[in-house]
Amino acid sequence: MKRIAYITVKAPFGTQETFILTEMLALKDRGADILILPRDKSGALFHKEAAPLIKDTLSTPWFDVNIAKNFIRFICRKPVSFIKIVYDIAFKARNIRIALKNLIVFPKAVSLSEDIKKASISHIHAHWASTPSTMAYIISKVTGIPWSFTAHRGDIAENNIINKKCTSALFVRAIDEEGRKDLTGIVADSALQRKILTIHMGVKVAGNIRKPEISREAFTILCPANFVPKKGHRYLFESCRILSDKGISFECLISGDGPLEDELKEMVEGLPVGCNIRFLGRLPHEQLLGLYAEGRVDVVVLPSIVTGDGVREGIPVALMEAMSYGIPVISTRTGGIPELLGDGSGIMVEERDTESLADAIEKLINDPDYYALMSMRGRKKVERDFNISLISKRLLELFSTGIQ
């Protein structure tokens, strides 16, 4: 089995990138040998499920004396390579901000090249088309080791030398069809476009799950999402007010954190008591999945929107995870969400349509047969198309042989 280097932002540390944790753990389950290289040094382990990955992680700072020495040695030994890489990552960048971000990770990438060669790495894979893939690009240039990267959503819009990266990479992975179309729009060369594949993010399909049934106490809604504009929390809050005005009993749990936290909490304070909205904070991944396994959530709602500056969802892993436990989901027709729910595997409403969102929740509450149907459809969709066991197998094939 080949040894693979995975470049992340912070994973296995930090609160984000749980979907990357799931992927790396699935690769290890298939016998892959992984070396994880976080872009950012962090010693905080938030998700306990990441503990098995710590021994496979080389966490280093952005810059220190050792990195400086390795970088100076590289410049002295390979000045031509140094100049070519600077030209690619800085002068080919579309603006100064991106050029500076790339230059900041340059010394660390060069220093890690030495570690990667010593570790006998045969393939490098980076998550995010931003600076993690810049690091992978540099390391590949220095070592000659083949590489690939996964592009998600906002990182595609940033367009950090994507054309140059697609030229160099063995393959490029988009997580949904919209992402693939965005990438092919940036990369004009048809030969490079053939390198771009749609390979979904995946989730572990839950084993024995509770029989889907509506809570006999308060119907429980959960929204697990970062507090950022594209998640559309305010529209869920307004739908809760509509349901409360109808005298419908429910509980709405909000899991996450982010820059809009104070603003969202102020909104909730202004709502009627019957809305029964409660903030849980950021939950470790295993605790969130524990809520699903214990049958404490009746529906997961993600009222996503496309923001004024065009930011939108990919295919939210939060929805996949709920569906894998047989929990019905409700979301909007934005971004990559129709790719997950468009065949009736979940409920979709138009973005910002609070009345339709409230009606969809009410129908699940009042119609047990419909509830059971949505539960079954969602579970089957994840088993078939978003099963991390199958996706990890495909990734290992690509790491080994590339596109055939």
Side-chain angles (χ1 to χ4, degrees), residues 160-338:
N160 184 335
I161 60 168
I162 281 179
N163 196 81
K164 182 67 67 174
K165 290 173 180 176
C166 288
T167 302
S168 171
L170 189 64
F171 70 92
V172 179
R173 172 199 191 185
I175 63 167
D176 59 21
E177 275 300 307
E178 279 214 359
R180 188 189 63 80
K181 290 175 183 176
D182 289 344
L183 286 168
T184 56
I186 293 170
V187 179
D189 189 312
S190 59
L192 295 184
Q193 290 176 349
R194 286 193 287 273
K195 288 186 177 183
I196 303 170
L197 310 174
T198 300
I199 304 174
H200 298 133
M201 297 304 300
V203 297
K204 188 174 182 179
V205 178
N208 295 324
I209 61 172
R210 289 171 176 259
K211 181 181 177 181
E213 57 183 21
I214 300 170
S215 172
R216 296 185 182 278
E217 298 175 3
F219 186 87
T220 301
I221 303 162
L222 175 67
C223 179
N226 296 328
F227 298 160
V228 293
K230 74 174 180 180
K231 298 300 183 180
H233 288 86
R234 64 177 65 234
Y235 303 104
L236 174 58
F237 297 163
E238 179 59 23
S239 296
C240 288
R241 187 193 63 75
I242 294 170
L243 292 170
S244 176
D245 289 346
K246 291 182 176 182
I248 295 171
S249 177
F250 65 90
E251 178 182 34
C252 182
L253 306 177
I254 309 297
S255 169
D257 57 22
L260 297 183
E261 183 166 354
D262 291 340
E263 179 182 333
L264 295 177
K265 287 182 176 178
E266 285 180 14
M267 288 181 192
V268 170
E269 287 175 2
L271 294 172
V273 176
C275 290
N276 200 17
I277 297 171
R278 182 158 58 94
F279 289 85
L280 303 179
R282 167 76 62 179
L283 294 179
H285 193 225
E286 61 276 1
Q287 287 188 24
L288 178 66
L289 299 185
L291 294 178
Y292 300 156
E294 294 163 11
R296 294 170 59 188
V297 174
D298 294 306
V299 63
V300 165
V301 177
L302 198 61
S304 303
I305 63 169
V306 179
T307 65
D309 54 359
V311 177
R312 61 194 188 278
E313 294 279 10
I315 302 180
V317 173
L319 296 179
M320 298 178 209
E321 288 176 338
M323 293 161 70
S324 78
Y325 281 86
I327 298 169
V329 300
I330 304 173
S331 195
T332 58
R333 293 182 179 88
T334 60
I337 293 170

Side-chain angles (χ1 to χ4, degrees), residues 23-238:
E23 184 169 290
M24 292 188 295
L25 288 167
L27 289 169
K28 284 181 65 68
D29 286 344
R30 286 195 169 273
D33 193 1
I34 297 176
L35 176 64
I36 306 167
L37 306 170
R39 184 197 67 188
D40 300 347
K41 181 178 174 63
S42 174
L45 184 67
F46 186 75
H47 303 288
K48 290 182 181 178
E49 68 179 357
L53 297 171
I54 300 302
K55 62 181 176 58
D56 303 313
T57 302
L58 178 60
S59 183
T60 60
W62 285 77
F63 197 77
D64 62 13
V65 173
N66 186 57
I67 290 173
K69 287 179 179 178
N70 288 336
F71 192 51
I72 293 170
R73 190 179 299 117
F74 170 72
I75 295 172
C76 293
R77 290 178 176 176
K78 298 184 177 181
V80 175
S81 294
F82 168 74
I83 292 169
K84 285 182 177 179
I85 293 172
V86 169
Y87 179 75
D88 288 346
I89 68 173
F91 289 92
K92 284 290 187 178
R94 63 186 183 86
N95 58 45
I96 293 175
R97 183 183 64 84
I98 292 174
L100 289 174
K101 286 171 63 177
N102 288 342
L103 289 171
I104 287 171
V105 301
F106 191 5
K108 179 170 179 171
V110 167
S111 184
L112 285 174
S113 298
E114 295 299 316
D115 298 298
I116 280 182
K117 284 189 287 187
K118 291 176 184 176
S120 300
I121 296 298
S122 57
H123 188 89
I124 305 160
H125 187 76
H127 267 274
W128 311 103
S130 49
T131 48
S133 60
T134 299
M135 290 177 62
Y137 176 83
I138 294 167
I139 293 168
S140 179
K141 287 292 182 182
V142 173
T143 64
I145 298 170
W147 76 290
S148 56
F149 68 98
T150 295
H152 292 263
R153 179 57 66 191
D155 53 332
I156 299 176
E158 183 185 51
N159 189 5
N160 184 335
I161 60 168
I162 281 179
N163 196 81
K164 182 67 67 174
K165 290 173 180 176
C166 288
T167 302
S168 171
L170 189 64
F171 70 92
V172 179
R173 172 199 191 185
I175 63 167
D176 59 21
E177 275 300 307
E178 279 214 359
R180 188 189 63 80
K181 290 175 183 176
D182 289 344
L183 286 168
T184 56
I186 293 170
V187 179
D189 189 312
S190 59
L192 295 184
Q193 290 176 349
R194 286 193 287 273
K195 288 186 177 183
I196 303 170
L197 310 174
T198 300
I199 304 174
H200 298 133
M201 297 304 300
V203 297
K204 188 174 182 179
V205 178
N208 295 324
I209 61 172
R210 289 171 176 259
K211 181 181 177 181
E213 57 183 21
I214 300 170
S215 172
R216 296 185 182 278
E217 298 175 3
F219 186 87
T220 301
I221 303 162
L222 175 67
C223 179
N226 296 328
F227 298 160
V228 293
K230 74 174 180 180
K231 298 300 183 180
H233 288 86
R234 64 177 65 234
Y235 303 104
L236 174 58
F237 297 163
E238 179 59 23

Side-chain angles (χ1 to χ4, degrees), residues 278-399:
R278 182 158 58 94
F279 289 85
L280 303 179
R282 167 76 62 179
L283 294 179
H285 193 225
E286 61 276 1
Q287 287 188 24
L288 178 66
L289 299 185
L291 294 178
Y292 300 156
E294 294 163 11
R296 294 170 59 188
V297 174
D298 294 306
V299 63
V300 165
V301 177
L302 198 61
S304 303
I305 63 169
V306 179
T307 65
D309 54 359
V311 177
R312 61 194 188 278
E313 294 279 10
I315 302 180
V317 173
L319 296 179
M320 298 178 209
E321 288 176 338
M323 293 161 70
S324 78
Y325 281 86
I327 298 169
V329 300
I330 304 173
S331 195
T332 58
R333 293 182 179 88
T334 60
I337 293 170
E339 199 169 329
L340 176 66
L341 306 182
D343 59 355
S345 298
I347 304 168
M348 288 192 298
V349 299
E350 297 301 326
E351 60 175 317
R352 297 181 170 89
D353 188 343
T354 56
E355 290 281 355
S356 293
L357 179 56
D359 288 344
I361 296 170
E362 185 177 3
K363 182 172 177 60
L364 285 175
I365 293 173
N366 293 331
D367 190 337
D369 291 337
Y370 179 66
Y371 184 95
L373 176 65
M374 299 313 299
S375 169
M376 179 269 294
R377 284 180 176 175
R379 166 84 176 191
K380 286 188 174 181
K381 180 62 174 288
V382 170
E383 286 179 333
R384 184 179 67 249
D385 296 336
F386 297 90
N387 188 332
I388 192 59
S389 178
L390 301 178
I391 291 168
S392 61
K393 180 181 179 182
R394 173 62 172 147
L395 286 174
L396 282 177
E397 291 170 352
L398 287 167
F399 294 156

